Amino acid sequence: MTESRKTDEELVALAQRGDGQATEQILLRYKGLVRSLARGFFLVGGETEDLMQEGMIGLYGAIMDYSQEAHNSFKNFARLCISRRILDAVRAAASKKNAPLNGYVALTDWLWHGEPFSVEDQLILSDEKREFKQKMSRALSDFEFKVTMMYIEGMTCTEICEATGKTAKSIDNAIQRSKKKLQTILGKE
């Protein structure tokens, strides 16, 4: 069976035994998830790529630490490890030693696509998503809101340009304005 046809759990087991190709395959499979979770934070003075690197480190840790007996699925375990690593990096960046990165805006609840742990968690998360979306719609122009939602959903700048018919500069400007407005709004809470 080729690497691409193996389940995540099969690839992880191979990776844990030192198979470099299996490790590479699982890292490639989950790169999109890492990107999605990393984009859940706006960093003032920082780059999403920095958080992507942290997320990839979290993913690698998940590969090495995963146990089928202890966890239901690798995907959920990986999401948890990646999220924790990114959050740890943001917390570290928020310390006084890293003043340029202090202004982050967390959107991780909005991006959580996994299954919450309980019905209560699911209801709370649903309410939080709705409330956050309402705050965004009040704070942002219609165009900024539309572009920001596309960005949060993981669309690339090129895809957003194609969907809106606007230039890359216009899209980038809208995202930057949105980041500043959301930073201000969430900073007041």
Side-chain angles (χ1 to χ4, degrees), residues 1-7 10-11 14 21-22 25 29:
M1 183 181 295
T2 65
E3 300 288 322
S4 62
R5 293 183 183 210
K6 292 184 178 171
T7 67
E10 290 171 326
L11 286 172
L14 289 171
Q21 288 181 328
Q25 183 65 33
R29 273 188 194 179

Side-chain angles (χ1 to χ4, degrees), residues 63-79:
I63 293 169
M64 294 301 120
D65 295 339
Y66 177 73
S67 165
Q68 266 188 305
E69 293 80 32
H71 306 94
N72 290 337
S73 74
F74 175 74
K75 184 175 186 173
N76 287 338
F77 182 68
R79 181 184 300 277

Side-chain angles (χ1 to χ4, degrees), residues 137 140-148:
S137 69
L140 305 177
S141 71
D142 290 342
F143 180 68
E144 290 166 345
F145 179 78
K146 181 178 180 179
V147 168
T148 301

Side-chain angles (χ1 to χ4, degrees), residues 168-181:
K169 181 69 173 166
S170 176
I171 299 303
D172 184 56
N173 287 342
I175 291 171
Q176 296 308 317
R177 285 190 311 272
S178 297
K179 287 179 181 182
K180 287 178 184 173
K181 288 178 181 180

